[in-house]
Amino acid sequence: MLIASAGCYALKLAGLSLPQAWLQDPRIQRTVPLLPVALLAALIATQTFSTGHRLVLDVRAAALAVAALAVLLRAPFLVVVSAAAATAALLRLL
């Protein structure tokens, strides 16, 4: 735990220690805002389509599709989550 804490602190310190000229680079300015979206998409993909070290296609994929459809229809967050959960529950029941 102490090693992990020290590693996190060192990583944060490294980010704060970057030269200002590097941070003003236009490529960095365009890339940094996209990182959270890419990381969240990767997390969703790995949690939806994998179990252990295997790729799977199960009810989680259907629930994700229903949630994506609800988001496209601009449903409130609670409706999106409820629709995805209900889809997963009903498909597991079948």
Side-chain angles (χ1 to χ4, degrees), residues 10-86:
L11 186 61
K12 186 171 183 133
L13 184 62
L16 293 172
S17 302
L18 288 175
Q20 196 66 19
W22 289 8
L23 299 175
Q24 298 302 326
D25 184 4
R27 292 177 297 178
I28 300 294
Q29 294 291 323
R30 287 191 312 264
T31 305
V32 168
L34 301 175
L35 289 176
V37 175
L39 290 172
L40 183 58
L43 179 63
I44 289 170
T46 56
Q47 292 295 313
T48 302
F49 300 111
S50 68
T51 299
H53 294 291
R54 296 181 303 141
L55 289 175
V56 294
L57 190 61
D58 59 5
V59 298
R60 295 176 291 179
L64 180 63
V66 168
L69 180 65
V71 167
L72 287 175
L73 295 174
R74 299 193 184 273
F77 179 72
L78 189 57
V79 173
V80 172
V81 172
S82 299

Side-chain angles (χ1 to χ4, degrees), residues 1-15:
M1 185 66 97
L2 292 174
I3 293 171
S5 298
C8 289
Y9 181 77
L11 186 61
K12 186 171 183 133
L13 184 62

